[in-house]
Amino acid sequence: MRNILYIIFHCTGANPKQTVESIKNYWKMPEPKGKGWKQVGYHHLVDFYGIDHQLATDDKITNGVAGFNSNAIHISYIGGENWKDTRTAEQKATLERLLRQYHAKYPKAKIRGHRDFSPDKNGDGKIDPSEYMKFCPAFEVSTWVKGLGL
């Protein structure tokens, strides 16, 4: 079993009604039109209707955040187009269920958004929007988690 240190949230950064198959095809398609990946980007992908599509089991490494994948579970929602929080009520409910499930399973794992792995370029101890390498998941994970009482 892998040593899970992070539960990381993502968004696809695209239209909220994009299909799971189109996302998987984009990952497989060779560059420059796609990513050219051999494996999926996330363990879970939550569609517009809140349906959880498990793309990989916990024991598999996925392509979520370079340098952190071997110790992470990656969960994404379809949406975040133009880096706006487009989560539907159904997606929020499913993301919360997955968060609680993984938090119970890996209680010591840190809960983060993809953008929280950006470097602190000015050395002030926090990652500001101007330092984001990615805007994913298009919402502040720490605020969301705190609001859930975790």
Side-chain angles (χ1 to χ4, degrees):
M1 190 56 135
R2 297 186 307 131
N3 181 25
I4 302 301
L5 303 176
Y6 300 98
I7 301 166
I8 305 174
F9 286 87
H10 302 266
C11 67
T12 61
N15 184 302
K17 293 207 174 172
Q18 186 177 21
T19 67
V20 172
E21 284 309 310
S22 71
I23 294 165
K24 288 166 61 176
N25 288 337
Y26 173 71
W27 290 333
K28 292 176 190 174
M29 203 178 336
E31 293 185 59
K33 291 186 177 191
K35 295 281 190 187
W37 292 346
K38 292 182 179 169
Q39 61 215 39
V40 296
Y42 318 116
H43 292 87
H44 295 270
L45 185 57
V46 180
D47 71 20
F48 181 81
Y49 303 101
I51 298 168
D52 170 26
H53 300 265
Q54 185 172 7
L55 304 179
T57 55
D58 292 9
D59 61 317
K60 303 292 184 211
I61 297 171
T62 63
N63 284 328
V65 179
F68 295 89
N69 295 326
S70 63
N71 298 104
I73 295 294
H74 297 282
I75 302 168
S76 183
Y77 71 97
I78 298 177
E81 188 172 26
N82 298 318
W83 308 118
K84 293 187 177 14
D85 184 359
T86 61
R87 292 175 296 160
T88 63
E90 295 84 2
Q91 285 175 314
K92 288 178 182 179
T94 302
L95 291 171
E96 179 180 347
R97 179 182 56 75
L98 288 167
L99 171 59
R100 291 186 185 283
Q101 170 190 322
Y102 279 111
H103 182 62
K105 190 171 184 177
Y106 307 109
K108 293 182 181 179
K110 295 177 183 173
I111 304 164
R112 301 285 187 266
H114 189 166
R115 67 186 185 192
D116 299 327
F117 291 86
S118 300
D120 178 14
K121 293 178 183 174
N122 64 11
D124 68 354
K126 60 182 180 175
I127 300 166
D128 299 310
S130 64
E131 297 171 310
Y132 292 161
M133 291 175 11
K134 303 223 175 211
F135 281 88
C136 169
F139 70 95
E140 183 57 53
V141 171
S142 63
T143 302
W144 175 62
V145 170
K146 190 174 181 181
L148 296 174
L150 297 176

